[in-house]
Amino acid sequence: MQLSVCVVTDLVEWPVARRSEAVLISDQEDEGWARQVSLPPPSPFRKTHGAGCSCCSREGLSVIMAQLFQDHVLGVGQSFSQVVVLVKTNERPEVLSMLEQDVLVRARYRFQA
């Protein structure tokens, strides 16, 4: 079973009618979502310690998505089937690349355009 994930740069891109079925990961608060989670700041240690380092090998967003998947499987909180990640326009390619390269994210989530 995979959940859907969509990385957007504007919440206008996400239909209001579908928000109650989705989790919003963002710094911006908005109403109508099944749940909202703050987007974590980038780790200051990212890629500075070396291969295999736990703080360098997983981004905070990947960890949040792992927790959301676990919550979904265990039925914790309001039910959801989609995750929407709101980022700045210039950050979108990097965030998509990071998520697509994370083996656990790819196994648990289906990317939507």
Side-chain angles (χ1 to χ4, degrees):
M1 162 194 41
Q2 286 185 311
L3 296 173
S4 296
V5 63
C6 189
V7 179
V8 299
T9 58
D10 191 338
L11 292 179
V12 173
E13 300 173 35
W14 200 258
V16 174
R18 293 178 50 203
R19 292 181 182 191
S20 65
E21 304 167 2
V23 172
L24 173 64
I25 301 176
S26 170
D27 290 332
Q28 175 180 323
E29 295 219 10
D30 199 26
E31 294 186 15
W33 300 89
R35 185 187 312 179
Q36 288 188 247
V37 180
S38 293
L39 191 62
S43 170
F45 305 108
R46 181 76 177 141
K47 298 181 182 175
T48 59
H49 292 142
C53 171
S54 63
C55 63
C56 293
S57 60
R58 299 288 312 272
E59 283 285 349
L61 180 56
S62 295
V63 174
I64 286 173
M65 292 184 69
Q67 183 63 53
L68 287 172
F69 186 82
Q70 183 176 355
D71 289 352
H72 175 75
V73 170
L74 296 175
V76 175
Q78 186 173 340
S79 177
F80 63 93
S81 59
Q82 301 160 341
V83 174
V84 177
V85 182
L86 178 65
V87 297
K88 295 176 183 160
T89 303
N90 62 332
E91 297 172 339
R92 189 172 188 274
E94 184 179 342
V95 169
L96 272 173
S97 176
M98 184 273 301
L99 292 175
E100 289 170 347
Q101 291 176 25
D102 188 296
V103 175
L104 291 177
V105 171
R106 269 197 336 262
R108 295 171 173 163
Y109 292 90
R110 179 178 64 255
F111 292 89
Q112 292 182 331

